[in-house]
Amino acid sequence: MSSNARQDQSAKKSLDDYLAVLATERRLSTHTLKAYRRDIEKLIAFMDQRGVMLWQGLNSHNVRLFAASLNSKGLNSNSIKRILSSGRGLAKHLVSKGALKNNPFDDVRAPKGEKRLPKTLSVDQIVSLVELTLDDPLSYRDKAILELFYSSGLRLSELCGIDLNDLDLSESILRVTGKGSKQRDLPIGAQANKAIRDWLLQRNVLPIKDFDALFISKLGTRISTRNVQARVQYWAKRQGVEISVSPHMLRHSFASHVLESSGELRAVQELLGHSNISTTQIYTHLDFQHLAQVYDDAHPRAKTKKPK
């Protein structure tokens, strides 16, 4: 076996070992692990092109050259930052295994880029979006989806993963499983609560195949993320919302509107499930009763009596 072949095999084994650790200890999703792999394979390819030995030749100088090469390819600062973060994690793993003496990424920073505020909808646009004409089971389902996105600030994957037993409609509480398999309890606004109850009555009309899933497709299987994205875009156009709308925009709108009304930044961070992000670690955890009170006082569509 040639030295290059042995090096490629060694690099692949190091990467596979590191991803296995991430999957086991941090319980990252398959999608996230694939993103880590793509990022680190860029680093491996760059080192290979320069004829640098892996991993002994991985030093701060080469890491800076790697970052510069990413910038020259037109990647934005956020993408470069993410790729360097993936490499930093791998290097830390290699240090723990004795394959590196120190982490060469510690002294390298990605170029700073402009901070762009996420796009949001106004309250009037939200009202226009969710006031659907209900004439078939799928329209009831879609109204419940739209209301719940805005009601509780869910991620797309969180909404699609909701099971019936995650709901407590009598108490207006929803349990969701977020990133890293972390669970959190969220309040459900009165409008969303009613929309879900109406959908559950219509749900039985469809040929149910996935009995656990709250939201199912017209074929009766758990609704997919792509299906939800398409339905949100469909209704935005049909309801006359003049900008492109995504599930993530509804999440941002939820956060922006509650924060503007309440000023409770820590509560919004908890509601969004950002506890694993380093920039939110300074915030203390708030109990659910406090979160629910902030939500009820601030959310534009929560100020209605709960259905009996």
Side-chain angles (χ1 to χ4, degrees):
M1 182 183 295
S2 67
S3 60
N4 286 340
R6 285 195 298 270
Q7 177 167 276
D8 290 343
Q9 190 177 52
S10 175
K12 183 179 184 302
K13 184 178 186 306
S14 297
L15 176 54
D16 289 343
D17 289 345
Y18 176 54
L19 294 178
V21 170
L22 293 181
T24 303
E25 296 183 1
R26 293 177 55 185
R27 295 190 294 179
L28 298 183
S29 68
T30 301
H31 175 76
T32 302
L33 292 172
K34 287 181 179 179
Y36 271 93
R37 180 179 291 278
R38 287 194 298 269
D39 289 346
I40 295 172
E41 284 177 345
K42 288 182 175 66
L43 171 63
I44 294 173
F46 174 81
M47 298 281 283
D48 185 58
Q49 288 170 2
R50 291 184 56 80
V52 178
M53 289 294 294
L54 295 172
W55 297 99
Q56 298 90 331
L58 186 62
N59 54 37
S60 297
H61 175 68
N62 285 323
V63 171
R64 288 191 180 92
L65 291 177
F66 175 55
S69 73
L70 296 174
N71 186 59
S72 68
K73 293 176 180 178
L75 273 69
N76 61 41
S77 60
N78 287 334
S79 296
I80 297 174
K81 183 178 180 180
R82 188 200 69 241
I83 293 170
L84 292 181
S85 177
S86 298
R88 185 175 294 109
L90 171 63
K92 182 179 179 180
H93 172 73
L94 293 172
V95 170
S96 70
K97 297 297 182 181
L100 281 176
K101 291 183 178 180
N102 51 57
N103 194 329
F105 286 83
D106 286 345
D107 299 325
V108 181
R109 295 290 179 267
K112 291 183 178 180
E114 293 184 3
K115 291 185 178 179
R116 293 180 296 176
L117 293 176
K119 294 181 180 179
T120 62
L121 297 172
S122 68
V123 174
D124 287 341
Q125 286 175 317
I126 290 288
V127 172
S128 296
L129 176 62
V130 300
E131 295 298 332
L132 310 186
T133 299
L134 304 176
D135 52 14
D136 65 1
L138 295 186
S139 63
Y140 280 90
R141 180 202 65 189
D142 292 348
K143 179 176 175 61
I145 286 174
L146 293 169
E147 289 280 11
L148 191 54
F149 266 134
Y150 181 60
S151 160
S152 304
L154 300 178
R155 297 180 177 95
L156 175 59
S157 59
E158 291 171 346
L159 179 131
C160 294
I162 297 173
D163 288 335
L164 292 174
N165 59 12
D166 293 326
L167 289 168
D168 184 346
L169 293 178
S170 63
E171 296 296 329
S172 291
I173 296 175
L174 166 66
R175 174 159 292 179
V176 298
T177 302
K179 292 185 176 180
S181 299
K182 292 294 183 67
Q183 291 187 330
R184 67 188 190 279
D185 289 341
L186 296 174
I188 304 173
Q191 298 287 349
N193 190 312
K194 180 180 184 306
I196 293 171
R197 290 173 183 268
D198 292 342
W199 153 240
L200 290 176
L201 294 176
Q202 297 290 324
R203 179 177 178 272
N204 295 326
V205 176
L206 299 177
I208 302 175
K209 296 177 182 177
D210 192 328
F211 290 91
D212 293 330
L214 170 60
F215 294 116
I216 57 177
S217 69
K218 63 182 180 181
L219 300 178
T221 57
R222 183 182 297 273
I223 197 167
S224 68
T225 55
R226 183 169 295 184
N227 193 350
V228 172
Q229 289 172 319
R231 297 302 289 177
V232 170
Q233 293 172 356
Y234 167 80
W235 283 113
K237 291 179 180 178
R238 181 164 175 176
Q239 296 298 99
V241 180
E242 297 181 350
I243 60 175
S244 178
V245 180
S246 68
H248 206 58
M249 187 182 291
L250 297 178
R251 174 173 160 86
H252 283 312
S253 300
F254 157 84
S256 177
H257 295 167
V258 174
L259 183 58
E260 287 173 4
S261 299
S262 69
E264 291 278 355
L265 180 61
R266 289 184 297 171
V268 172
Q269 295 286 344
E270 289 285 332
L271 290 166
L272 290 175
H274 279 173
S275 60
N276 286 338
I277 297 179
S278 59
T279 55
T280 66
Q281 289 177 349
I282 61 172
Y283 300 109
T284 58
H285 292 282
L286 307 177
D287 61 54
F288 179 79
Q289 291 301 322
H290 176 66
L291 294 179
Q293 185 61 50
V294 170
Y295 178 92
D296 288 339
D297 291 343
H299 196 288
R301 291 181 72 77
K303 298 172 183 176
T304 307
K305 292 182 180 180
K306 295 180 182 178
K308 295 182 181 179

